[in-house]
Structures are given as C-alpha cells and as structure tokens.
Amino acid sequence: MKKKHSPALTTAHKDLRLSWTKDHMIWNNEWHKVVWSDEKKFNLDGPDGFSYYWHDLRKEEEIFSTRPLGGGSVMIWASFGWGGKSSICFVDGRMNAKGYQEVLKKHLIDIGSC
C-alpha cells in the first residue's frame, strides 16, 4: 500500500513563515489576545481517502475492511491561549459556520477569550 504524504513546503511558504515569525517576535501582551485552535477527524475503520488515521508506528499496519456506509468517525475540536485551554469538544455531524460559532461560544469561555 502506497502511503500518502503531505506536499512539501515551497521556498515561498518557508519565507512567509519566517517573515510572520520575525514580525511577531516583539509581541508581548499581544499574545494574551491570541487563541490557537484545531479540529481532527478520527476514522473508526481506517482512512477515507482524504484523511490519515492513527496507528502505532512500532507495529505492522493493520488492514481494515470498509463497510458500504462507512464505519463512522469522531471529530474533536480544542483550543488554547494565554489564559489556558478549552475543554475538548466532540463535534456532531459536519461542521458549518453556524456550528463553529456555537462551538466557540460554548468552549472559548473556558479560557476567558470571549
């Protein structure tokens, strides 16, 4: 089975990241206003063609059989900032703009960012 790899960063991408970093090195109290967040989908029966799935790299990769309707998945979201970290949010269904706003309302309050 051929493994998928993320595209390599181009020189332009690397230059932009370095520039952003240099621009923000002088920040002090401004970091108090920044919140980092991300979401991750975990497939319950292997990859879906677009996502990776977790497996122990020290062991042989297992082959999963897929079901016609799929084996399901779990989507989680979390954030952290100067004031702490949010609780982990389990997202039901697909995330759209309205759903994302609801997640922010319920979970960013945990770290005093609202």
Side-chain angles (χ1 to χ4, degrees):
M1 178 190 304
K2 186 176 181 181
K3 286 196 171 215
K4 292 183 181 182
H5 295 283
S6 299
L9 290 176
T10 66
T11 301
H13 291 133
K14 293 175 185 178
D15 290 344
L16 285 169
R17 287 181 177 197
L18 183 59
S19 175
W20 187 93
T21 304
K22 288 179 179 178
D23 290 345
H24 294 84
M25 283 176 57
I26 60 171
W27 274 21
N28 193 7
N29 290 333
E30 292 89 342
W31 288 114
H32 294 225
K33 302 173 191 173
V34 176
V35 174
W36 305 92
S37 71
D38 203 3
E39 66 278 338
K40 174 67 178 158
K41 177 183 171 192
F42 294 93
N43 296 308
L44 301 179
D45 69 349
D48 62 8
F50 300 103
S51 299
Y52 294 98
Y53 66 101
W54 183 91
H55 69 278
D56 190 334
L57 295 176
R58 298 168 295 183
K59 297 180 180 177
E60 187 67 31
E61 190 171 349
E62 294 183 37
I63 297 174
F64 293 91
S65 61
T66 57
R67 290 172 235 148
L69 299 175
S73 62
V74 175
M75 175 81 76
I76 62 170
W77 176 94
S79 67
F80 67 94
W82 190 266
K85 60 185 178 180
S86 71
S87 56
I88 292 177
C89 172
F90 290 88
V91 179
D92 293 326
R94 290 188 166 269
M95 176 76 76
N96 59 22
K98 185 172 180 157
Y100 188 63
Q101 291 172 3
E102 290 300 315
V103 166
L104 294 177
K105 283 180 192 174
K106 290 180 184 174
H107 296 278
L108 277 184
I109 199 96
D110 293 351
I111 60 174
S113 300
C114 288

